[in-house]
Every structure is written in structure tokens, then in C-alpha cells.
Amino acid sequence: MKKIMDSLSQQFAILGLNGLDSTHPSTAKRAVLRAVAAAKLLEQLNETQPMDSCVFAARLEEGLLPIRTQRRRQARILEQDIVSDLKDCGALEEVPDLLACDIHYDTAGVSIFAYRSDPDLYLRISESLRAEILEDGPITWDSFCLLWLLRESCCIHDLFSAEEQNRLNTRLIDLSTRDTMFQSLWHAQFHKSLERLSIHILRGKKNLFRNPYLEGVVLVFPFLERRQAVFIDFVILGTTVHSRRQAVIEYLTERGHYVEEVRNNKETLLKIDNTYYRIFPRTIRFNRIPVQGANLTPVYW
């Protein structure tokens, strides 16, 4: 059985790289790779603990300067290194991207590949973090670091709902006021100004954790690149909800995706490669011809 990765950078990469295009650059991937570099910086600083909070803040700020201006070549080398390490231990693999199943890409014969984290590892790391952060009690330094990396890379929305983000905001502000080390880290930033501007536009400056997914918004921002709707064509007339769902499951499974049904209150979601989707019938016009099928829409917690 695979064990949870020991290093902070590996744990974050398992959460952050999952579902991202593995062959092409993107704003989302650049944000994640800057966070991987920041995680490696924290690993180095942690090796020299204990240190005064003022010294830690100064060294952290000094180390974040080159990370904010990370070049494409540096990002590529870092990606190759972390991906190679995770692949060697079976924690990460490259698979056909779910987007390649969309009718527009499928009919065009376009091949797209994405990173997929090992489902057991992804679940254990994410649930362990959620349990520690959302429940009352102390928070470990590693968990606080991981949450900070998720915030700065715009990945926090993949793990926490809007309601949970309110709970996070209260807990972490309170924690940072009691511990100067936590405060130094929480106030540190390495995101790009455009990414932070986009977050402010969609969430408002006072709501640092609000869910940014807005239907009908077509903007190339990190958190909007991570999840995309997909249309799969098949005959829906005369079929039941269950049979349509099974048809989609079989279609995706044949193409190498991990798919399972998950109950969420009164609805049934599809968990596809560590991400949750809603499914509903739809008819679209493709080259002016009506085409029946099903739409997979990412769940916006």
C-alpha cells in the first residue's frame, strides 16, 4: 500500500497537479509550480528550526522573491523533477484528459493528457488536512503550510466549500494572531498580481476564501482552468436516468478514467479522477445538427 508522501512539496504536488494538463503550460499549472517551489523553500527553512519569528519572516521573504518571478524554463525543470519523483513511487500518472471526451475534441481527434494523482493518496492527504483544519483543536505547522500553499496557488476551492472557507477564515485569523510564526507565513505571498486581481474581481477583497466559480463567466484564471464542463454524445430518448449515467460511466471507464457514483444528499454525483461532476441530459447543435447526450458539469461546492 502506498504511504503518504513525507515531504511538503510532494504532498502539495499530489493535490495541486491533479487534473492539470501535463503537456502544455497554463496559468493554473504555473501557479501550482510556484507553490511547489515555495514548499521546497519551507522545507529548507524547517531544517534550521527553531528560529526566531523575525528571522523566519526575513528569510521567507528573501526566498520568495525569485519564486514570484519564476521563469518558464525554471518551471519546466521543477515540473519534470517533481513529476518524476511522484511517478517513480506510483503517486502520479499521465492519463487522457477528461476534456478529450468532449464531442468537439473527440470528433477532431485531439489528444490531451493530464496528471492524475493516486486516488488513495489524494483522498488521504486531503481528508487528513480537512479533518485537522475544520475540527477544533491545534493545527500542526505542516498542515498550516499546506493550507497556505493551496491559498496562494488558487487550489483551496478544490478541497473546501464556501461554507467551510468561512470557518477556515475565522480559525486561521485567530491562529495567526496567537502565533507569530503562523502570522509571518499567513501574510507572505508569492502569487502573480493578475491572479490575485482575478480573485478580487470574483470574490471581493474582504472574502479571501469565497468560492470563485460563477456560471457563465469565461475567464482564463487559475481556478477556472482546473475544471471544465464536458458534453458526451449518445441517444437519450427512451432512456432512464440510471441508464444514462451507466452509459457515461462505461464510456469514461473504457478510456482509462476512474469513475464511481457518489451520493450527495438527494442527488447522485460522478467522481471522475478525484473530481466531482453533476450529469444531466442535453441536446446541442453540432454543425447545425441536433445531437443528444449528457453534460458533465464540475461541482462547485
Side-chain angles (χ1 to χ4, degrees), residues 248-264:
V248 170
I249 292 175
E250 292 173 6
Y251 177 87
L252 295 176
T253 301
E254 289 173 359
R255 284 156 179 75
H257 296 283
Y258 296 150
V259 189
E260 63 176 298
E261 296 178 283
V262 178
R263 291 291 299 175
N264 180 43

Side-chain angles (χ1 to χ4, degrees), residues 229-285:
V230 175
F231 177 81
I232 299 174
D233 59 305
F234 62 91
V235 177
I236 59 177
L237 289 177
T239 60
T240 64
V241 173
H242 177 72
S243 62
R244 289 195 293 266
R245 195 161 52 235
Q246 285 302 123
V248 170
I249 292 175
E250 292 173 6
Y251 177 87
L252 295 176
T253 301
E254 289 173 359
R255 284 156 179 75
H257 296 283
Y258 296 150
V259 189
E260 63 176 298
E261 296 178 283
V262 178
R263 291 291 299 175
N264 180 43
N265 296 323
K266 295 182 179 181
E267 65 178 338
T268 300
L269 305 176
L270 291 184
K271 183 181 179 183
I272 307 172
D273 299 335
N274 302 317
T275 302
Y276 295 90
Y277 291 84
R278 287 189 175 91
I279 178 174
F280 54 90
R282 185 184 178 191
T283 300
I284 67 170
R285 288 194 171 273

Side-chain angles (χ1 to χ4, degrees), residues 62-89:
E62 181 182 4
L64 290 178
L65 286 175
I67 293 176
R68 295 191 187 101
T69 57
Q70 186 185 70
R71 297 184 179 276
R72 289 183 180 273
R73 183 174 180 276
Q74 295 172 320
R76 276 199 307 272
I77 294 174
L78 182 59
E79 179 182 358
Q80 292 169 356
D81 289 344
I82 192 68
V83 167
S84 177
D85 289 343
L86 294 178
K87 281 185 175 180
D88 287 344
C89 60

